[in-house]
Amino acid sequence: MEILRLEAIHRTYRQGEAALDVLRGAEFALMPGEAVALVAPSGAGKSTLLHIAGLLERPDAGEVIVAGRGTSTLSDTERTRLRRDEIGFVYQFHHLLSEFSAVENVMLPQLIAGLDKSEAKKRAEQLLTWLGLPDRGTHRPTELSGGEQQRVAIARAVANAPRILFADEPTGNLDIVTSEQVFEALFKLIKATGLAALVATHNLELAAQMDRRITLRDGMIVEV
Ligand SMILES: Nc1ncnc2c1ncn2[C@@H]1O[C@H](COP(=O)(O)OP(=O)(O)OP(=O)(O)O)[C@@H](O)[C@H]1O
């Protein structure tokens, strides 16, 4: 069964008299273990879609179903809890906390979720090893390369074992070789854990390596 389903999602931005219909009945389903690329021109609504699918924003109409659960009737608190349990986010910029080491950055969401400190540390070290950073755990973000920072950000995003990962231009800030390394690490993680990922990217070569590619056309999602 799919881990994420979008049904007839509508989203309109209004500014004074003007109305911009960014999403007009978008439909989509994501299966566990699937890596899907979202490739669309700037302004097509990729970030809007990820924020709605990731329960950060509500659509004007339509339903986001996460792990079989409809979310439109949930309270903000319930949506936050579901997001915390099931969803991870990676952005173009890593947003790691500079005063903490890589391991500590990956431990933090686990500690917030109530995990025991030694358990959180064990998991953080395991994730960093999976992502190819076995010897960078004690480094602070400024002591890591751009690609290493993004891999730590991915480890942090999946620290609480979410079943869905959303990434918005995760390699937008990196050179080609580094982008490939980050993607390789991400793929490995997806295949090892059964995580489902929806990744917005302008990088067509990386998109070509993913299981499926979708785009936004006139506010609808279409397979390419
Ligand atoms: N809060 C907002 N208020 C008004 N308009 C908005 C708002 N957020 C986004 N938009 C507009 O909606 C459209 C879609 O924006 P969105 O950020 O989703 O596009 P995108 O595909 O992610 O673009 P990019 O690739 O440049 O990041 C754009 O035209 C944008 O200007």
Side-chain angles (χ1 to χ4, degrees), residues 71-82:
T71 58
S72 57
T73 56
L74 297 181
S75 68
D76 286 344
T77 311
E78 290 168 324
R79 284 164 60 90
T80 301
R81 192 173 307 137
L82 186 59

Side-chain angles (χ1 to χ4, degrees), residues 13 15 20 22 41-48 202:
Y13 292 117
Q15 259 168 355
L20 183 66
V22 177
S42 186
K46 297 184 296 295
S47 300
T48 302
H202 282 119

Side-chain angles (χ1 to χ4, degrees), residues 31-200:
M31 304 299 289
E34 201 179 29
V36 177
L38 169 58
V39 183
S42 186
K46 297 184 296 295
S47 300
T48 302
L49 181 75
L50 292 183
H51 289 163
I52 287 174
L55 306 181
L56 291 167
E57 285 173 30
R58 288 179 188 267
D60 296 321
E63 182 63 291
V64 179
I65 301 164
V66 174
R69 243 179 119 188
T71 58
S72 57
T73 56
L74 297 181
S75 68
D76 286 344
T77 311
E78 290 168 324
R79 284 164 60 90
T80 301
R81 192 173 307 137
L82 186 59
R83 189 171 64 237
R84 195 188 61 201
D85 291 345
E86 303 287 10
I87 296 169
F89 261 99
V90 179
Y91 299 92
Q92 181 170 357
F93 300 100
H94 58 76
H95 300 301
L96 296 171
L97 298 176
S98 57
E99 63 269 40
F100 293 105
S101 70
V103 164
E104 287 165 345
N105 266 282
V106 183
M107 285 173 69
L108 265 175
Q110 303 180 71
L111 298 178
I112 291 167
L115 224 83
D116 171 79
K117 207 170 164 183
S118 66
E119 286 292 313
K121 185 158 188 251
K122 211 166 103 190
R123 166 119 178 122
E125 286 170 345
Q126 182 188 47
L127 280 170
L128 290 174
T129 300
W130 274 355
L131 286 160
L133 302 172
D135 52 355
R136 294 290 188 277
T138 58
H139 290 226
R140 294 201 180 187
T142 51
E143 298 162 350
L144 298 168
S145 71
E148 289 170 344
Q149 289 168 349
Q150 273 312 58
R151 281 186 272 167
V152 177
I154 293 170
R156 181 187 52 183
V158 300
N160 286 330
R163 287 189 281 178
I164 312 168
L165 179 72
F166 294 102
D168 199 349
E169 293 289 345
T171 59
N173 201 27
L174 306 174
D175 63 58
I176 294 169
V177 173
T178 311
S179 297
E180 271 167 18
Q181 289 167 350
V182 170
F183 257 80
E184 213 168 283
L186 179 59
F187 285 140
K188 230 170 96 184
L189 188 74
I190 289 169
K191 298 310 167 194
T193 61
L195 182 72
L198 180 58
V199 183

